[in-house]
Amino acid sequence: MIHSIDPIFISIGKFHIYWYGIMYLIAFISAWYLGNIYIKKDIICISKVQFSDLIFYCFLGVLFGGRFGYCLFYKLHTTFEDPLSLFYIWEGGMSFHGGFLGVIISIIYFCKKYSINFFQISDFITALTPIGLFTGRIGNFINAELWGKPSEFFWSVIFPKVDNLPRHPTQLYEAFLEGLILFAILNILLIKKAKTITVTSFFLIFYSAFRFLVEFFRVPDAHIGYVAFSWVTMGQILCLPMFFLGIYFLMTKRR
């Protein structure tokens, strides 16, 4: 397969709307819709008004946290030289781990505002998060970014903007694992009303495990490369705290 998808969804004169932005929009609309279904079925005990506030706070957390995390984890030197680059959103560059921290801050603020247990809300939000992970990785594939290493598998993809080598479509690997599989695991637990902290724990464990695995097939960021042993990537390092935190939460739940 030769990648030939136009990253521009629609153009109006010199104004362009990109598929990547559309993917974010689809994610938040879908999460809002599914979240309201769960509220209606009493799977989560918050009002629709509170949920609208929560979605808005999480949107800000993803936007600002994702951008700040990218500049901190992947472009620290450049950011120090030009601090205003933090706000150059049009240049691209979003970090999942930064967005994750941004969402945590958003949930903390929401829970303090409405006096709700943090893990009840985090269980709810993490069950919806794979929707955004799925659409985000599809957006990465459309943009022909975050490509994989050369491959001889029949499902390999040639990205002409890179070279003419067939490569692992690691964006689709992550969409499948972090999006579809993780969504199924977490939402089954949520619907069955697993004990508090369980959904959050499983999210941390499985997301970090899936991401760590796919990183072996993905080409690391050119300006960073491998950070250790000629195979460890920044993404893998950032996944380790998530994994062990998930294990810790499961142990806490059992106690």
Side-chain angles (χ1 to χ4, degrees):
M1 177 181 172
I2 299 177
H3 185 282
S4 59
I5 305 174
D6 189 344
I8 298 176
F9 173 69
I10 190 172
S11 295
I12 305 173
K14 294 184 178 180
F15 179 74
H16 305 303
I17 298 177
Y18 290 85
W19 274 110
Y20 193 73
I22 296 296
M23 291 297 109
Y24 270 88
L25 182 62
I26 291 173
F28 276 96
I29 291 176
S30 301
W32 178 84
Y33 180 77
L34 181 60
N36 276 290
I37 291 176
Y38 285 160
I39 290 171
K40 186 176 181 180
K41 293 184 176 182
D42 293 325
I43 292 175
I44 178 70
C45 296
I46 60 175
S47 69
K48 291 185 177 181
V49 173
Q50 290 174 329
F51 180 54
S52 295
D53 285 348
L54 179 59
I55 283 289
F56 176 69
Y57 299 151
C58 288
F59 171 78
L60 295 180
V62 168
L63 182 62
F64 292 106
R67 180 60 185 170
F68 182 81
Y70 177 78
C71 292
L72 177 64
F73 300 140
Y74 297 96
K75 293 186 66 177
L76 183 60
H77 180 69
T78 305
T79 304
F80 273 127
E81 291 181 347
D82 182 15
L84 291 178
S85 64
L86 277 168
F87 305 100
Y88 299 166
I89 298 176
W90 57 88
E91 293 184 353
M94 296 285 283
S95 162
F96 164 79
H97 295 92
F100 175 70
L101 293 175
V103 170
I104 288 177
I105 294 172
S106 300
I107 294 175
I108 291 173
Y109 175 76
F110 174 84
C111 290
K112 286 189 174 182
K113 180 178 179 180
Y114 291 105
S115 300
I116 302 176
N117 179 271
F118 173 85
F119 287 107
Q120 289 179 343
I121 299 302
S122 68
D123 282 353
F124 178 47
I125 289 298
T126 50
L128 303 178
T129 298
I131 298 173
L133 294 175
F134 176 81
T135 59
R137 294 312 180 190
I138 296 299
N140 292 145
F141 181 75
I142 292 173
N143 283 348
E145 58 190 6
L146 307 182
W147 54 83
K149 298 175 181 177
S151 165
E152 296 182 356
F153 291 114
F154 69 88
W155 60 75
S156 301
V157 177
I158 295 175
F159 298 95
K161 64 176 288 186
V162 183
D163 51 33
N164 292 317
L165 295 176
R167 295 177 174 275
H168 286 286
T170 47
Q171 313 95 325
L172 302 184
Y173 295 172
E174 291 189 76
F176 177 72
L177 294 172
E178 302 166 10
L180 300 180
I181 299 300
L182 188 58
F183 177 86
I185 293 171
L186 301 183
N187 283 270
I188 288 173
L189 290 171
L190 186 69
I191 291 171
K192 290 188 174 182
K193 297 187 176 182
K195 291 183 179 180
T196 304
I197 305 182
T198 302
V199 178
T200 301
S201 302
F202 274 69
F203 170 80
L204 293 169
I205 293 169
F206 279 100
Y207 170 82
S208 55
F210 290 152
R211 174 70 182 271
F212 195 95
L213 174 64
V214 174
E215 288 284 319
F216 286 114
F217 301 94
R218 180 170 149 183
V219 175
D221 296 84
H223 61 287
I224 296 179
Y226 293 109
V227 296
F229 307 117
S230 298
W231 61 268
V232 178
T233 66
M234 177 62 74
Q236 289 175 320
I237 289 178
L238 294 174
C239 282
L240 291 177
M242 293 181 64
F243 181 83
F244 290 113
L245 186 61
I247 296 295
Y248 171 76
F249 283 160
L250 277 182
M251 295 172 61
T252 300
K253 176 183 73 71
R254 291 182 177 179
R255 289 202 299 267

